[in-house]
Amino acid sequence: MAGRPLRITFIVVLGLLVIVAAVLLIVSGIFKKAEYLEPWSKKYAAQFGDPRVQLAAHGLLAASGHNMQPWKVMLDPADPMSFELYADSTRMSPAADPPARQLMISQGTFLDYVQVAGPALGYKVNLRLFPQGTYDESKLAESMDAKPVAEITLTPQAPQGTPLYDALFLPDTNRGSYLPEPLTESEIRALEQIGNENVAVRIVQDPEDLAKLGDYAMQGASIEAGTASVAKETEDIFRPNEYTKNRYRYGFSVEGQGTTGINKHLLQGLVTLFPSLNSGKAAADRLVDSVRAGVEHTPSYALFITPDNSRESQVRSGMAYSRFILQAHRLGLVMQPLSQVLEEYPEMAAPYRAIHKDYASGGGTIQMLVRLGRAEKEAPLSMRRDVSELMADTSAAR
């Protein structure tokens, strides 16, 4: 008879656990369709009749700082083969990116994806950066709204297959662990050749550099985690469940740390019910732990260095970074930006100066620091906005 109460207790506890799990899954939105992933389908762009919108639908798959997707597209009503890209000033991150340098890099990532997609869709893509001149830095937001980053014109041609096209539809960032094997000499050459007179691409993987750059990455993560204004920006764009991911379709989510499947939904339910799990010290510790885990499993780093820090150089570094992503995918490699130490707010000043002294002593600007290697497991896709949201005239997207 003594075993009967134990069995009853076990059944009750099991029942409670099932109820708790069910609540977490429902709160997570496990039964909601992931509309925020629809743009990743190769069929997505084909639904739009305007080739400019089709290309913009490819561009929005590009990487962007904090996954803000800060792009606006203006279709030329007088020329069906022309459109303009504007930086979306409403998506600036004044705490983490006060000079909007990362936002401008994001303009370049978009433009390169458009350039890669164009030939596959039957168009030669011609770009002209800052056709109306660069910004008035004293009125940056207003200037962004008034002046395009680029003018894009299309010339119809026979569709041409490109080996990079399929890579557009792969995740741009993998924050997981990488295998310990270094890159081969041929892989290094293929990736460094992406660089040009505007942007130098340098790959390092000797033990001394790995330790030094890993230390810089940890310094940056620790400072960012301890800077309240930056942490608040990150917290504000965290999407804890399927409902908010479908509503906003940009920012961060638990997938960013590689959590997938049922565990993703259980975690989403927890952070939805208990927001403190993703704020304050808990969020700070998670950022530092995540970067530490990445640094400890990184065989190579890549640096993107420009001769100056002009707006055009920032955009061109983003274009080089997108091409780097696509070429790396072809080689079976993945990457993750470690951008914290390159951010330009007062608390980050000391390590920012130090990394530039060590790796850009000639006076250039390090635009990107990226860990690079072969993934232990695949990364999930991240949220993307509907292309209609990028259009200055949303009715033009259909």
Side-chain angles (χ1 to χ4, degrees):
M1 294 295 291
R4 186 174 179 182
L6 291 176
R7 286 197 299 273
I8 293 173
T9 300
F10 173 78
I11 292 171
V12 170
V13 171
L14 181 61
L16 290 173
L17 290 175
V18 170
I19 292 171
V20 169
V23 169
L24 293 176
L25 295 177
I26 292 170
V27 170
S28 168
I30 191 171
F31 300 114
K32 292 288 291 183
K33 180 182 178 182
E35 297 171 358
Y36 56 86
L37 294 181
E38 289 175 352
W40 289 102
S41 169
K42 288 184 178 180
K43 299 178 181 179
Y44 175 78
Q47 68 184 292
F48 306 105
D50 191 319
R52 300 170 296 179
V53 180
Q54 292 177 0
L55 288 173
H58 287 79
L60 66 80
L61 299 179
S64 62
H66 304 97
N67 194 25
M68 291 297 288
Q69 303 167 50
W71 308 303
K72 291 194 299 185
V73 171
M74 177 73 72
L75 303 181
D76 186 339
D79 184 354
M81 292 289 108
S82 179
F83 64 104
E84 294 174 325
L85 175 68
Y86 287 77
D88 188 343
S89 65
T90 68
R91 293 174 179 271
M92 297 171 73
S93 303
D97 185 28
R101 182 185 59 83
Q102 294 180 41
L103 184 142
M104 298 312 298
I105 291 174
S106 300
Q107 307 308 305
T109 61
F110 180 99
L111 291 171
D112 191 69
Y113 269 38
V114 168
Q115 281 193 311
V116 170
L121 273 61
Y123 299 95
K124 179 182 178 181
V125 177
N126 299 289
L127 299 178
R128 188 156 67 106
L129 296 184
F130 297 103
Q132 298 179 24
T134 54
Y135 301 140
D136 178 351
E137 297 292 336
S138 66
K139 299 178 180 178
L140 184 56
E142 295 92 333
S143 197
M144 283 182 177
D145 294 337
K147 294 184 177 183
V149 174
E151 178 184 73
I152 303 103
T153 56
L154 310 179
T155 303
Q157 62 180 23
Q160 301 175 4
T162 166
L164 298 180
Y165 181 76
D166 287 344
L168 295 172
F169 302 92
L170 298 176
D172 52 80
T173 301
N174 188 314
R175 294 180 174 84
S177 297
Y178 300 166
L179 298 174
E181 58 190 271
L183 274 63
T184 65
E185 289 299 321
S186 63
E187 289 169 339
I188 292 174
R189 284 195 302 272
L191 292 173
E192 289 189 337
Q193 285 173 1
I194 292 168
N196 50 50
E197 69 276 9
N198 301 302
V199 186
V201 178
R202 178 186 175 192
I203 293 173
V204 296
Q205 51 186 12
D206 63 272
E208 182 179 352
D209 280 320
L210 290 179
K212 186 179 294 186
L213 289 170
D215 183 61
Y216 279 129
M218 288 305 305
Q219 289 182 57
S222 298
I223 291 170
E224 178 167 301
T227 304
S229 58
V230 179
K232 183 63 166 57
E233 278 188 349
T234 302
E235 182 182 338
D236 287 345
I237 58 171
F238 179 77
R239 315 303 178 200
N241 53 55
E242 300 301 292
Y243 305 100
T244 54
K245 285 190 281 185
N246 277 341
R247 177 182 177 187
Y248 294 103
R249 299 173 66 144
Y250 70 91
F252 299 122
S253 63
V254 300
E255 290 101 323
Q257 304 306 321
T259 307
T260 58
I262 196 71
N263 289 334
K264 177 189 80 171
H265 287 288
L266 292 173
L267 181 55
Q268 286 187 165
L270 282 170
V271 296
T272 299
L273 293 174
F274 306 101
S276 61
L277 294 174
N278 190 59
S279 61
K281 186 177 186 300
D285 290 346
R286 186 161 56 253
L287 169 62
V288 173
D289 289 345
S290 174
V291 173
R292 179 181 294 109
V295 164
E296 291 174 351
H297 296 86
T298 295
S300 308
Y301 288 99
L303 298 105
F304 292 70
I305 306 172
T306 55
D308 56 41
N309 198 22
S310 68
R311 294 302 184 185
E312 182 168 332
S313 290
Q314 293 165 4
V315 173
R316 291 193 181 280
S317 68
M319 295 173 70
Y321 181 57
S322 268
R323 194 58 59 98
F324 184 91
I325 290 172
L326 299 176
Q327 181 63 23
H329 279 313
R330 288 195 65 216
L331 298 173
L333 301 169
V334 297
M335 69 238 57
Q336 175 196 358
L338 294 175
S339 59
Q340 293 89 351
V341 72
L342 302 177
E343 292 169 345
E344 295 151 278
Y345 48 90
E347 292 85 348
M348 198 67 72
Y352 179 91
R353 287 193 299 268
I355 192 173
H356 278 80
K357 180 180 179 181
D358 285 341
Y359 292 95
S361 57
T365 299
I366 305 173
Q367 302 288 354
M368 301 282 294
L369 169 64
V370 182
R371 55 186 291 256
L372 179 68
R374 294 171 176 80
E376 289 189 356
K377 63 179 183 179
E378 293 183 2
L381 297 168
S382 53
M383 295 175 283
R384 285 301 184 274
R385 302 162 66 195
D386 189 89
V387 70
S388 64
E389 296 181 21
L390 275 58
M391 300 295 143
D393 177 5
T394 56
S395 66
R398 297 290 171 181

